[in-house]
Amino acid sequence: WYNVFIVKNIFVINNMFKEPTPEKSPAQIKELQKFTPEDLEWFRNLEGNDGWVATDFKFCKNPQYFVVYGENNEKLGGVGVYDTEDDQNITHTVVASEFRGQGLASKFKLEIMEELGLDYFIGTVDLDNIASVKSIEKMPGIRRVSDEAYEKEFHKAKFRYDRPEND
């Protein structure tokens, strides 16, 4: 059975019995691999016009970045951690656009904690990045630690996650 429509003198045929497209299952993390020089540029591009990496700034110490690969060896995104004079274990996370909305950012953060044996991490999120703020706030055990003065000065919210004691 087919429906035939005329749209601006063009025939459009719509198959009424078309099989439904199966929903894609959420991406699964296979492994983390340390960044290569090529990965740094790829990561900057994932972020768009304002793309950056902690290695770009002298105030960011001890940067360690990883590409996160999925089960089919696809690049799901990248995650890094660095220190500053004021904080340690600050995470920098970007999920590739085709994998967003699956809760991967939080999983990336937990993976880097495991990989590096961290007891906690700090996450800072630009207040205009509503999706990322909502995403990190959904993470069980996360605490918002920034106050109004910090958020006004830096236009970021700061979060802290501590590894549960039974891990």
Side-chain angles (χ1 to χ4, degrees), residues 43-60:
F43 188 80
R44 284 185 188 100
N45 289 333
L46 271 183
E47 286 202 307
N49 295 335
D50 297 326
W52 65 279
V53 179
T55 56
D56 296 340
F57 303 101
K58 291 180 182 177
F59 67 87
C60 296

Side-chain angles (χ1 to χ4, degrees), residues 35-45 52-53 55 65:
F35 267 23
T36 65
E38 294 80 26
D39 293 325
L40 289 172
E41 194 57 35
W42 168 79
F43 188 80
R44 284 185 188 100
N45 289 333
W52 65 279
V53 179
T55 56
Y65 278 84

Side-chain angles (χ1 to χ4, degrees), residues 98-117:
E98 63 269 29
F99 299 106
R100 292 182 183 157
Q102 300 181 31
L104 290 174
S106 295
K107 292 175 183 174
F108 288 8
K109 290 171 179 20
L110 294 174
E111 285 289 323
I112 199 169
M113 281 185 78
E114 192 65 33
E115 179 77 21
L116 300 176

Side-chain angles (χ1 to χ4, degrees), residues 4-166:
V4 178
F5 303 96
I6 300 175
V7 180
K8 293 188 179 181
N9 296 328
I10 298 173
F11 289 96
V12 178
I13 299 175
N14 179 24
N15 183 349
M16 291 173 49
F17 295 105
K18 183 178 174 185
E19 291 293 319
T21 306
E23 285 199 28
K24 277 177 59 175
S25 57
Q28 299 296 315
I29 297 171
K30 176 182 169 187
E31 66 180 341
L32 302 182
Q33 288 185 10
K34 284 217 177 247
F35 267 23
T36 65
E38 294 80 26
D39 293 325
L40 289 172
E41 194 57 35
W42 168 79
F43 188 80
R44 284 185 188 100
N45 289 333
L46 271 183
E47 286 202 307
N49 295 335
D50 297 326
W52 65 279
V53 179
T55 56
D56 296 340
F57 303 101
K58 291 180 182 177
F59 67 87
C60 296
K61 308 292 183 204
N62 308 317
Q64 298 182 70
Y65 278 84
F66 298 85
V67 175
V68 183
Y69 284 93
E71 291 180 326
N72 298 316
N73 292 321
E74 68 274 35
K75 287 183 176 181
L76 302 177
V79 62
V81 64
Y82 61 93
D83 302 332
T84 65
E85 192 174 299
D86 299 324
D87 286 308
Q88 287 75 47
N89 303 338
I90 302 167
T91 58
H92 186 186
T93 309
V94 179
V95 177
S97 60
E98 63 269 29
F99 299 106
R100 292 182 183 157
Q102 300 181 31
L104 290 174
S106 295
K107 292 175 183 174
F108 288 8
K109 290 171 179 20
L110 294 174
E111 285 289 323
I112 199 169
M113 281 185 78
E114 192 65 33
E115 179 77 21
L116 300 176
L118 304 176
D119 291 326
Y120 70 94
F121 71 78
I122 300 293
T124 60
V125 183
D126 187 294
L127 294 173
D128 291 334
N129 190 342
I130 305 298
S132 291
V133 171
K134 286 181 179 181
S135 173
I136 199 167
E137 285 177 335
K138 288 180 186 176
M139 188 174 178
I142 198 86
R143 294 179 291 125
R144 191 172 188 150
V145 295
S146 54
D147 59 17
E148 189 177 327
Y150 176 91
E151 292 182 9
K152 186 172 184 171
E153 180 179 352
F154 297 104
H155 199 68
K156 291 181 179 280
K158 185 189 289 190
F159 299 87
R160 181 179 170 120
Y161 177 84
D162 291 285
R163 180 188 299 271
E165 289 185 24
N166 57 359

